[in-house]
Amino acid sequence: MFKIVRVENAEHWKRFLNLPGSIYQGDPLWTPMPLESQKQMFNPQSNPVLRHVRYECFIALQDKKTVGRIIAATDDLLKDNRVGLFGGFECINHPEVTRGLFEAASQSLFSRGKTIIQGPATMNTSQQVGLLVEGFRLPPQMMMPYNPSYYKTLLEGNGFYPLLDLYSYQWRQEEAVNQHKLFAVAKRAARIPGIKLRPINLKDTWGEGKKLAELHNQTMTQQWGYVPMEQEEAAYYLAGLRGYTDPELLFFCEVDNIPVGVCLMTPDLGPKIRASRRYGFPRPFGEPKSLRVGVLGVAPDYRRRGVAALLIEKAMKIGIRKGYQRAELSLIMESNTNMNQIITTAVGSRVNKRFRIYEKVIDV
């Protein structure tokens, strides 16, 4: 027998945070988020997103052993006020335990006036989203979703159905084709009067965060799960990158000093994390060979003027110059036809992973 318990005390939190280590104990590809970063996610003093996000966490206990967990979250800024979110889902391969977790999450959301549950989305739709459904043999980049293949069966067996897919692309210099098309479009964009590319100033995360938030709120309004980004959230995000990202990998495209595009890349520290996990302590590790392009956004008025190509060309040149051998471009919604076309035809990249957002009508 098992029981579902609401996380309310230090012992519960310890169980909640430690469960993934048990689920993925024998999986060499698991790339855990640092424990301190996990704790900060739930701390209102550390995570400004919690100003408009409300959450409850639950764990499943079986014979005093933790066998599952889930987060039920609501976002005051989410456009569709019928929708609540689930995230942080981890569970043994047990349909009944899964059902118990989702019943608890659904009841929590229903009590807050929600009639639809969507996810996975950890805390809100601006943070980690999606369930990995294709690409299990490939190691995840740091902070990217990763889960056992049986999670798909557990969700669909509990009445969830696919809402949308998100793609991850892999770029390798030696495999790229048709880049002359990309460079031609980028060259045309470079002729726009007043246009320039410049690194983001990580010494001024507050000022740069204002520009990033404004650009986000222009570029993402038509995307699933859009919530407005506040200046404090953007500044917090940029400050978090400061410790491990080369500032040259973060840059704006501006026209007359007004941002019209942004590209944010981070080095893949996954191999280092996995090596430390394998040996039980940090080990010396060479420079990362892979990048993740996590944000690539263009203001609507400039989407047909080649600015995306200009950003991608700049990203490729920086990556090659700095010795990166490959890059992951993620997550791209399947509905983002323009960006998917640019990546597949002009850049020459191919989908290497697929992530899925699920939905279910709450029935309690």
Side-chain angles (χ1 to χ4, degrees):
M1 293 294 293
F2 67 90
K3 63 179 179 178
I4 306 299
V5 178
R6 184 177 184 271
V7 175
E8 295 181 322
N9 57 44
E11 175 60 25
H12 291 161
W13 275 112
K14 182 178 179 180
R15 287 176 174 273
F16 181 91
L17 295 172
N18 288 343
L19 176 63
S22 173
I23 297 288
Y24 299 95
Q25 186 173 9
D27 188 340
L29 297 185
W30 180 52
T31 308
M33 183 190 299
L35 183 60
E36 192 58 36
S37 297
Q38 293 184 56
K39 291 179 179 179
Q40 289 177 358
M41 187 188 307
F42 299 98
N43 185 348
Q45 294 181 337
S46 302
N47 188 356
V49 166
L50 296 182
R51 291 188 174 189
H52 51 87
V53 169
R54 314 285 178 261
Y55 69 89
E56 284 188 307
C57 299
F58 301 90
I59 53 175
L61 302 178
Q62 188 175 53
D63 298 328
K64 298 184 179 180
K65 182 180 179 181
T66 312
V67 293
R69 73 175 201 180
I70 199 167
I71 304 167
T74 58
D75 192 327
D76 297 340
L77 302 182
L78 195 61
K79 186 184 300 184
D80 190 341
N81 58 18
R82 301 171 302 164
V83 173
L85 303 169
F86 78 88
F89 173 72
E90 303 286 359
C91 192
I92 61 172
N93 192 0
H94 195 300
E96 292 303 317
V97 173
T98 304
R99 182 170 292 108
L101 287 167
F102 279 109
E103 285 178 353
S106 295
Q107 289 171 359
S108 173
L109 295 175
F110 188 77
S111 70
R112 288 177 266 169
K114 306 304 176 183
T115 58
I116 297 172
I117 180 171
Q118 295 178 353
T122 301
M123 305 308 286
N124 81 339
T125 53
S126 296
Q127 302 195 16
Q128 193 180 83
V129 300
L131 187 83
L132 179 65
V133 295
E134 292 180 14
F136 293 98
R137 296 183 178 180
L138 300 170
Q141 294 235 358
M142 186 177 71
M143 309 293 285
M144 283 293 290
Y146 181 74
N147 52 264
S149 58
Y150 66 80
Y151 279 14
K152 177 177 180 288
T153 302
L154 290 178
L155 263 65
E156 293 177 359
N158 273 276
F160 282 87
Y161 57 89
L163 178 65
L164 63 95
D165 282 2
L166 307 105
Y167 301 147
S168 167
Y169 292 89
Q170 185 174 78
W171 175 83
R172 292 177 182 270
Q173 183 183 7
E174 66 272 17
E175 297 177 358
V177 295
N178 296 327
Q179 289 186 358
H180 61 280
K181 296 180 181 179
L182 176 78
F183 297 154
V185 175
K187 186 175 182 180
R188 184 185 70 199
R191 299 194 189 105
I192 297 173
I195 197 167
K196 68 177 180 180
L197 297 167
R198 69 161 180 89
I200 290 177
N201 180 9
L202 292 181
K203 294 182 179 179
D204 180 22
T205 55
W206 183 250
E208 299 287 64
K210 183 175 186 293
K211 295 179 179 180
L212 178 61
E214 290 173 350
L215 193 54
H216 169 91
N217 294 336
Q218 291 181 59
T219 61
M220 297 297 291
T221 54
Q222 301 304 312
Q223 299 295 322
W224 168 82
Y226 166 72
V227 292
M229 179 179 284
E230 299 177 350
Q231 181 177 2
E232 185 177 0
E233 294 172 32
Y236 172 77
Y237 174 72
L238 291 177
L241 297 178
R242 194 161 42 198
Y244 70 96
T245 302
D246 183 339
E248 280 195 75
L249 302 178
L250 316 170
F251 52 93
F252 282 126
C253 177
E254 296 181 336
V255 174
D256 296 331
N257 297 318
I258 298 174
V260 299
V262 62
C263 180
L264 305 181
M265 301 186 289
T266 53
D268 179 20
L269 301 183
K272 184 175 182 179
I273 293 172
R274 289 188 291 273
S276 297
R277 173 177 164 243
R278 185 163 58 248
Y279 293 104
F281 56 88
R283 291 175 59 88
F285 206 83
E287 293 297 318
K289 299 298 183 184
S290 179
L291 284 170
R292 179 183 175 229
V293 183
V295 176
L296 185 69
V298 178
D301 290 345
Y302 287 85
R303 286 177 183 165
R304 295 185 178 274
R305 303 186 67 181
V307 170
L310 189 64
L311 289 167
I312 292 172
E313 179 193 45
K314 174 75 170 179
M316 290 168 59
K317 288 182 176 179
I318 291 175
I320 292 170
R321 175 167 54 83
K322 290 184 170 289
Y324 292 100
Q325 299 172 354
R326 55 195 175 277
E328 177 178 288
L329 295 83
S330 58
L331 293 164
I332 313 297
M333 292 188 186
E334 62 179 343
S335 59
N336 193 342
T337 307
N338 184 51
M339 188 61 69
N340 283 305
Q341 186 174 15
I342 290 172
I343 294 172
T344 54
T345 60
V347 182
S349 298
R350 63 185 188 279
V351 173
N352 68 333
K353 293 181 183 179
R354 185 185 297 262
F355 302 84
R356 186 160 292 159
I357 302 296
Y358 283 89
E359 180 178 272
K360 180 181 178 181
V361 175
I362 295 176
D363 181 16
V364 296

